């Protein structure tokens, strides 16, 4: 008689993969799922006999029920999807459907998944999701393992072209946090470096930081003269540096500015008060970025990029037609952009109507 306390869960070894694929294709109603992106395969064994197979794959791009439970902003979502994984397959092999075995296997897998994921892909995983077809199952195993039911999908499925045009059977969505305070971690404006994949977009040198305000010195200040506490070049330099380092959104830019040390603040020529350099607040940053002339800002950024950016020997041009963007004369609006092949920098963008 199978003793659930003697079950062992471990990753599939390379020489075992053909057997794993064969068993999954033979016994799972959805068949075998190939490795796409970051994927880990597991087996559960009892006295060296395989009793279950599991697969953890890349998560869904979009899932309203999951995203609502997390509470993250769409601006951060795609930069943090690597912190999620999807339990895409869970198969109990025939002859081993015994009470408590499935929830025991799932629990053992959850305990070792974070360390295995870090070792395999070089970054943490903090949340697992899964989709259950209610026409076949009730999600009993996941409920027994303390997963949280967060709602249902709309029934659309992912295809090579995006998503299917028609909805099929909606799926139940379950999630399991692998550490405490996962919604707070994933939804905050700026996450710690350990959770970032591939590091920041750019690491600014001291010289580059000191030079940024200089390139913005000729831009007209759109603010009233009364009450200006921070110079326009300093605010624009800090916002630009934050974006170059991977920040997205006003709150993330503000958090990045607050994290700057005193030496970094001095390089941006921040105002001093009582012997300390102060950074502009969130409201100041937002106000400046909303009101500054985008043409002047674009020219200043191009000059800075020419001085410090990667040299491009070839350029790529791409155009877009803006949907529902009609000018006063009834003409459709088009956007043309020029991007460097090597630096990925945008050299210019032009808008016209025809």
């Amino acid at each position: 008689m199978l003793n659930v306390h003697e079950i062992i869960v471990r990753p599939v070894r390379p020489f075992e993969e053909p057997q794993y694929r064969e068993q999954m294709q033979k016994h799972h109603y959805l068949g075998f799922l190939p490795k796409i992106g970051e994927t880990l395969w597991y087996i559960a064994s009892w006295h060296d006999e395989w009793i279950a197979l599991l697969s953890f794959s890349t998560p869904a791009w979009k899932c309203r029920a999951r995203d609502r439970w997390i509470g993250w902003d769409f601006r951060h979502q795609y930069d943090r999807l690597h912190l999620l994984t999807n339990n895409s397959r869970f198969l109990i092999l025939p002859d081993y459907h015994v009470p408590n075995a499935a929830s025991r296997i799932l629990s053992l897998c959850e305990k070792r998944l974070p360390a295995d994921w870090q070792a395999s892909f070089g970054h943490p995983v903090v949340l697992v999701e899964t989709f259950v077809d209610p026409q076949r199952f009730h999600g009993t195993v996941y409920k027994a393992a303390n997963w949280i039911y967060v709602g249902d999908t709309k029934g659309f499925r992912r295809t090579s072209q995006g998503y299917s045009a028609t909805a099929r059977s909606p799926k139940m969505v379950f999630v399991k946090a692998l550490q405490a305070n996962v919604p707070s971690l994933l939804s905050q404006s700026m996450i710690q470096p350990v959770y970032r994949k591939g590091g920041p977009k750019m690491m600014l040198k001291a010289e580059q930081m000191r030079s940024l305000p200089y390139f913005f010195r000729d831009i007209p200040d759109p603010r009233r003269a009364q009450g200006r506490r921070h110079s326009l070049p300093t605010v624009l330099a800090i916002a630009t540096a934050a974006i170059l380092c991977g920040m997205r959104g006003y709150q993330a830019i503000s958090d990045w500015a607050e994290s700057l040390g005193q030496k970094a603040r001095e390089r941006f020529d921040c105002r001093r008060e009582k012997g300390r350099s102060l950074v502009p607040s969130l409201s100041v940053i937002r106000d400046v970025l909303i009101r500054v002339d985008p043409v002047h800002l674009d020219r200043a950024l191009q000059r800075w990029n020419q001085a410090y950016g990667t040299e491009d020997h070839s350029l790529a041009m791409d155009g877009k037609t803006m949907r529902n963007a009609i000018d006063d004369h009834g003409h459709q609006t088009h956007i043309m952009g020029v991007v460097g092949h090597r630096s990925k920098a945008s050299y210019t963008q032009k808008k016209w109507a025809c």
Side-chain angles (χ1 to χ4, degrees), residues 192-267:
Q192 300 175 15
V194 68
Y195 296 109
R196 301 175 193 163
K197 186 178 181 181
K201 300 296 182 183
M202 180 176 180
M203 294 295 292
L204 290 174
K205 300 178 181 178
E207 178 188 357
Q208 294 171 327
M209 296 168 73
R210 281 191 290 265
S211 71
L212 270 170
Y214 171 82
F215 286 87
F216 300 124
R217 71 190 189 285
D218 295 329
I219 296 180
D221 196 327
R223 302 171 296 173
R224 295 180 304 172
Q226 183 180 5
R228 293 181 191 170
R229 303 183 63 205
H230 301 274
S231 70
L232 183 71
T234 292
V235 178
L236 293 177
I238 288 177
T240 300
I243 293 171
L244 288 172
C245 291
M247 302 302 107
R248 297 294 181 268
Y250 299 122
Q251 185 64 59
I253 293 172
S254 177
D255 291 345
W256 185 88
E258 291 290 344
S259 70
L260 292 173
Q262 287 297 307
K263 287 187 177 180
R265 297 182 183 198
E266 291 172 5
R267 292 169 188 151

Side-chain angles (χ1 to χ4, degrees), residues 6-7 29 68 73 85 106 109 114 117 126 160 182 186 204 216 262 280 298 325 333 337:
E6 297 176 344
I7 295 174
Y29 77 99
R68 183 172 58 243
D73 190 286
T85 186
L106 198 58
C109 212
W117 202 272
V126 301
S160 58
V182 166
L186 293 174
L204 290 174
F216 300 124
Q262 287 297 307
D298 181 61
T333 301

Side-chain angles (χ1 to χ4, degrees), residues 79-94:
D79 287 337
R80 300 174 186 181
L81 277 173
H82 67 279
L83 298 173
L84 281 63
T85 186
N86 183 286
N87 178 207
S88 48
R89 294 289 188 272
F90 187 7
L91 169 67
I92 302 293
L93 291 172

Side-chain angles (χ1 to χ4, degrees), residues 16 50 53 133 138 141 155 160 164 179 193 203 209 253 274 304 307 329:
E16 297 172 324
W50 287 19
L53 312 178
D133 188 344
H138 300 290
V141 171
S160 58
S164 60
Q179 65 181 59
M203 294 295 292
M209 296 168 73
I253 293 172
K274 296 181 180 180
W304 186 86
H329 302 288

Side-chain angles (χ1 to χ4, degrees), residues 11-298:
V12 174
R13 301 185 181 104
F15 70 87
E16 297 172 324
E17 290 188 358
Q19 181 182 353
Y20 175 96
R21 289 193 291 266
E22 179 185 354
Q23 293 294 316
M24 189 67 77
Q25 183 65 34
K26 180 179 179 180
H27 297 293
H28 198 284
Y29 77 99
L30 291 176
F32 164 70
L33 181 67
K35 286 186 175 180
I36 301 175
E38 297 178 337
T39 302
L40 284 181
W41 291 345
Y42 286 90
I43 59 171
S45 62
W46 177 69
H47 293 179
D48 296 326
E49 292 287 332
W50 287 19
I51 64 174
L53 312 178
L54 301 94
S55 174
F56 293 87
S57 312
T58 53
W61 295 336
K62 297 180 181 179
C63 178
R64 178 174 295 182
R66 176 203 67 193
D67 297 339
R68 183 172 58 243
W69 181 83
I70 294 173
W72 55 11
D73 190 286
F74 73 93
R75 294 179 180 88
H76 304 309
Q77 177 176 336
Y78 298 108
D79 287 337
R80 300 174 186 181
L81 277 173
H82 67 279
L83 298 173
L84 281 63
T85 186
N86 183 286
N87 178 207
S88 48
R89 294 289 188 272
F90 187 7
L91 169 67
I92 302 293
L93 291 172
D95 302 328
Y96 293 104
H97 289 268
V98 300
N100 303 319
S103 58
R104 173 68 175 177
I105 292 168
L106 198 58
S107 177
L108 291 172
C109 212
E110 294 163 11
K111 290 179 180 178
R112 67 169 302 153
L113 183 61
D116 291 339
W117 202 272
Q118 181 74 50
S120 299
F121 307 117
H123 64 82
V125 62
V126 301
L127 183 70
V128 190
E129 67 181 17
T130 197
F131 302 104
V132 175
D133 188 344
Q135 295 182 359
R136 290 177 172 268
F137 309 102
H138 300 290
T140 305
V141 171
Y142 295 99
K143 295 174 183 177
N146 294 320
W147 287 51
I148 301 173
Y149 167 67
V150 295
D152 296 339
T153 68
K154 288 188 174 181
F156 296 97
R157 60 184 181 88
R158 190 191 301 181
T159 67
S160 58
Q161 289 77 35
Y163 283 88
S164 60
T166 58
R168 296 188 177 182
S169 172
K171 304 297 188 295
M172 302 170 66
V173 183
F174 291 86
V175 297
K176 180 62 181 293
L178 300 178
Q179 65 181 59
N181 302 319
V182 166
S184 175
L185 166 67
L186 293 174
S187 61
Q188 60 187 301
S189 59
M190 185 171 68
I191 59 176
Q192 300 175 15
V194 68
Y195 296 109
R196 301 175 193 163
K197 186 178 181 181
K201 300 296 182 183
M202 180 176 180
M203 294 295 292
L204 290 174
K205 300 178 181 178
E207 178 188 357
Q208 294 171 327
M209 296 168 73
R210 281 191 290 265
S211 71
L212 270 170
Y214 171 82
F215 286 87
F216 300 124
R217 71 190 189 285
D218 295 329
I219 296 180
D221 196 327
R223 302 171 296 173
R224 295 180 304 172
Q226 183 180 5
R228 293 181 191 170
R229 303 183 63 205
H230 301 274
S231 70
L232 183 71
T234 292
V235 178
L236 293 177
I238 288 177
T240 300
I243 293 171
L244 288 172
C245 291
M247 302 302 107
R248 297 294 181 268
Y250 299 122
Q251 185 64 59
I253 293 172
S254 177
D255 291 345
W256 185 88
E258 291 290 344
S259 70
L260 292 173
Q262 287 297 307
K263 287 187 177 180
R265 297 182 183 198
E266 291 172 5
R267 292 169 188 151
F268 286 119
D269 197 23
C270 293
R271 66 182 292 269
R272 294 183 64 82
E273 185 176 294
K274 296 181 180 180
R276 295 183 60 82
S277 296
L278 306 179
V279 294
S281 65
L282 170 62
S283 60
V284 171
I285 293 172
R286 182 193 293 114
D287 181 61
V288 166
L289 294 180
I290 289 175
R291 299 171 60 186
V292 71
D293 189 322
V295 176
H296 288 128
L297 180 60
D298 181 61

